[in-house]
Amino acid sequence: MPSPVMPTPRRGGGPQSPAAVSTVGLRKSYGDKTVLDGIDLHIPAGSVFALLGPNGAGKTTTVQILSTLIGADGGQAQVAGHDIAASPDGVRAAIGVTGQFSAVDGLITGEENMLLMADLHHLPRREGRRVAARLLERFDLVEAARKPAQSYSGGMKRRLDIAMTLVGDPRVIFLDEPTTGLDPRSRHNMWQIIRELVADGVTVFLTTQYLEEADELADRIAVLNGGRIVAEGTPDELKRLIPGGHVRLRFTDPSAYRSAAADLGEASRDDEALTLRIPSDGSQRELRSLLDWLDSVGVQADELTVHTPDLDDVFFALTGGSVLPNQTRETVR
């Protein structure tokens, strides 16, 4: 397992920032298997926090503890200002949870699902109907509201699931792999919903298997592996932890390739693909300097691409995997 990476400085004033979720030394074991081995988190209010990790890393266990579904074996945690052990009812009143599997009852209509949730929150009947109607409209479910939920598409069920979560007006929402199984369009629709929730001041605690999703949405990301947080930071901060940025030059003329390889003696060669790789951090200043130098030595490549480490690289490096050369992503600049 890779050595733990110390957390990078937090944006927005560090530990003094108001926390919607905080944990210190959170622990959980099942028998002789330690699932969480001392988790420290500080999640500012009104932000998106993503918890990444391989299957079995403890992501769902963390959500279950913070949402008071199961107890911790050690450590402390507060959610929305309430201690999860001393004030579980206060935590439950302030949060919403959408799990990996939909809580929608397929045998009743979408509207009936919403009204059932309003009853569970002890809303007066008129208020419950008003809240249900408002949320059905917000999530574009008005036309389907009186159809059995089992007839909904996967994306519609997910939207209804989150709408049901919002009936109680939670200030912290736990989304445990909310887009698993959704098609790309439905996933992007869900991303927009999450952005709108945060714009309203809601804090979103997200677990996901999709690294692009975390990169797109999260203000901060933590990588959980072996029961510990092995790295934490903004997406850009995490990417800077991993070396390997480079500029790739591709040639179609073998003689031009050989000439360039001779001029660029320190570049890594791929004689079969007629490509050269030059280490680079991808910054504008370094690229400008590199291009000027290539012009000065007369190197004319047919294609230039820039690769900077992405969250896939970070994830594989920190969780003990490896990134094969044909798995890297390159972006034309």
Side-chain angles (χ1 to χ4, degrees):
M1 187 191 341
S3 300
V5 178
M6 292 301 293
T8 53
R10 303 176 189 275
R11 295 183 298 179
Q16 310 309 319
S17 303
V21 178
S22 63
T23 72
V24 177
L26 203 63
R27 300 179 60 86
K28 183 67 179 179
S29 299
Y30 293 100
D32 59 357
K33 177 176 175 55
T34 300
V35 180
L36 300 178
D37 190 16
I39 301 299
D40 297 338
L41 297 173
H42 179 98
I43 303 172
S47 66
V48 180
F49 174 85
L51 186 62
L52 305 182
N55 288 333
K59 301 186 299 296
T60 296
T61 298
T62 303
V63 170
Q64 290 176 332
I65 290 174
L66 294 176
S67 58
T68 75
L69 293 174
I70 62 175
D73 295 334
Q76 298 177 331
Q78 288 193 339
V79 177
H82 303 280
D83 186 279
I84 62 171
S87 181
D89 289 342
V91 172
R92 293 172 196 142
I95 68 170
V97 182
T98 298
Q100 295 180 28
F101 305 101
S102 175
V104 171
D105 186 337
L107 298 179
I108 61 178
T109 69
E111 183 180 50
E112 288 168 339
N113 271 281
M114 295 294 294
L115 294 175
L116 176 60
M117 190 60 63
D119 287 342
L120 292 174
H121 282 280
H122 305 292
L123 296 182
R125 182 171 297 274
R126 179 176 296 180
E127 175 69 6
R129 288 192 174 278
R130 186 189 67 78
V131 170
R134 175 174 57 82
L135 289 170
L136 287 168
E137 181 177 5
R138 177 177 182 180
F139 286 87
D140 195 23
L141 292 167
V142 173
E143 291 185 8
R146 299 195 175 181
K147 297 177 181 179
Q150 63 187 4
S151 68
Y152 289 11
S153 67
M156 291 171 67
K157 286 180 180 176
R158 265 311 187 190
R159 296 206 307 273
L160 179 58
D161 209 4
I162 293 184
M164 292 165 60
T165 299
L166 294 179
V167 168
D169 194 26
R171 304 319 296 160
V172 178
I173 297 179
F174 294 94
L175 300 179
D176 193 9
E177 301 189 17
T179 62
T180 297
L182 297 186
D183 62 76
R185 182 182 297 276
S186 296
R187 184 173 299 130
H188 280 266
N189 289 340
M190 189 62 64
W191 292 357
Q192 185 58 36
I193 289 171
I194 292 171
R195 293 188 185 101
E196 290 171 0
L197 291 173
V198 175
D200 289 341
V202 174
T203 303
V204 174
F205 186 114
L206 172 72
T207 75
T208 180
Q209 297 279 7
Y210 300 108
L211 301 181
E212 178 193 8
E213 185 163 271
D215 200 358
E216 184 76 22
L217 294 174
D219 298 297
R220 295 191 68 81
I221 296 171
V223 181
L224 183 63
N225 191 48
R228 294 178 177 272
I229 300 294
V230 294
E232 183 187 357
T234 68
D236 287 341
E237 287 171 344
L238 292 183
K239 292 171 191 175
R240 287 198 292 269
L241 295 174
I242 307 301
H246 62 269
V247 171
R248 178 177 178 268
L249 304 177
R250 187 181 67 82
F251 299 82
T252 56
D253 181 356
S255 62
Y257 166 72
R258 289 192 295 270
S259 175
D263 289 330
L264 308 176
E266 296 183 359
S268 299
R269 299 176 51 156
D270 184 335
D271 293 340
E272 184 175 344
L274 301 182
T275 62
L276 300 172
R277 286 175 39 159
I278 304 171
S280 170
D281 63 8
S283 68
Q284 181 178 346
R285 175 179 297 178
E286 185 167 311
L287 286 176
R288 184 182 295 114
S289 175
L290 174 61
L291 290 172
D292 289 343
W293 180 62
L294 291 175
D295 286 340
S296 71
V297 296
V299 171
Q300 295 291 327
D302 296 283
E303 182 181 288
L304 181 150
T305 55
V306 179
H307 171 84
T308 54
D310 56 21
L311 284 183
D312 291 73
D313 301 310
V314 174
F315 182 86
F316 284 117
L318 294 176
T319 59
S322 60
V323 181
L324 301 177
N326 63 357
Q327 292 177 311
T328 60
R329 295 181 182 175
E330 295 178 347
T331 304
V332 177
R333 300 291 177 90

